[in-house]
Amino acid sequence: MPETGLSPNRIREHLRKRWYLYLAGALLVCLLNNLIYTVTRPRVPERALLHVMLVNVDAPDSELERLEATLLTAAQAAEPDVRAVELEPLQYLGESDAGSNILLATKFAAGGADLYIADEAGYEVMAARGFCAALDAENLPGAELLTDPETGERCAVRMDAGAIFVDAEGEIYLFVSAGADNPAAARSALKILTDPTE
């Protein structure tokens, strides 16, 4: 007489023969969950986002939040459509590190940032590669502007790091990316950073 009720033996036998169906079901649920999350999550359009790359610049989270708020206010003054600022850290390990150089070039080519805040080593490499857009000296009175050695154009601002990050030491370099998606917002943010009384 065949077994018709549920028993531990029948359940074990069923799972042994059809385990792949349960595995496929679990994978399908994970895939659908991921798909629904990525499609429905809110996103800020690229034109409404100011990308800021921090090259070899470290600061505590509270300082980064304050910087983000300052940059958002400045960017919205120039471009009211800007809705968010995205800060992205990037560690550049020097000319001898192939990975750093590839990452830096790829980020620039992909339009990875509108505004760069970098240390001296990062700035020198990016200026030499033509990553910096020309700056209008009249809009940045009192700022220490640096000149691109190849083009002769003013392309960056050198500042004391303590002017942006509390307790920071050394110098930092600010410049607008030559491939910026939001150049007006980036220039406005640069002006506010160099002259907070604006």
Side-chain angles (χ1 to χ4, degrees):
M1 177 171 184
E3 279 188 64
T4 56
L6 279 178
S7 70
N9 284 340
R10 288 194 72 201
I11 293 171
R12 266 194 299 276
E13 186 63 23
H14 172 78
L15 292 175
R16 187 182 66 79
K17 288 183 177 178
R18 294 185 177 82
W19 63 269
Y20 56 89
L21 291 175
Y22 293 99
L23 179 62
L27 291 174
L28 183 63
V29 166
C30 290
L31 177 70
L32 287 174
N33 184 40
N34 187 2
L35 183 66
I36 290 169
Y37 171 75
T38 55
V39 168
T40 60
R41 74 182 170 98
R43 285 186 211 154
V44 177
E46 289 296 314
R47 291 294 302 157
L49 188 64
L50 178 67
H51 293 276
V52 180
M53 188 78 65
L54 303 172
V55 182
N56 292 347
V57 175
D58 294 321
D61 288 343
S62 59
E63 290 289 294
L64 294 177
E65 287 169 11
R66 186 178 58 78
L67 175 64
E68 193 173 320
T70 302
L71 291 172
L72 182 59
T73 303
Q76 286 175 335
E79 293 285 330
D81 292 340
V82 173
R83 288 191 273 157
V85 172
E86 182 179 272
L87 299 176
E88 183 179 351
L90 176 71
Q91 289 300 316
Y92 178 71
L93 303 176
E95 285 284 350
S96 60
D97 184 62
S100 289
N101 286 296
I102 291 169
L103 184 60
L104 200 61
T106 304
K107 289 280 187 185
F108 175 75
D114 299 310
L115 180 67
Y116 285 90
I117 301 175
D119 69 345
E120 186 174 7
Y123 161 69
E124 286 175 354
V125 167
M126 289 185 278
R129 294 180 183 177
F131 288 9
C132 309
L135 296 176
D136 184 1
E138 294 171 11
N139 287 334
L140 298 166
E144 185 182 350
L145 291 169
L146 302 175
T147 305
D148 186 326
E150 289 192 20
T151 64
E153 296 176 325
R154 292 182 171 116
C155 66
V157 176
R158 178 173 33 215
M159 292 181 66
D160 178 20
I164 296 178
F165 302 110
V166 177
D167 297 330
E169 295 178 4
E171 294 177 329
I172 56 174
Y173 298 76
L174 289 76
F175 56 94
V176 176
S177 171
D181 288 332
N182 285 320
R187 288 174 198 279
S188 178
L190 179 64
K191 187 173 183 180
I192 290 291
L193 289 176
T194 55
D195 185 9
T197 60
E198 277 290 315

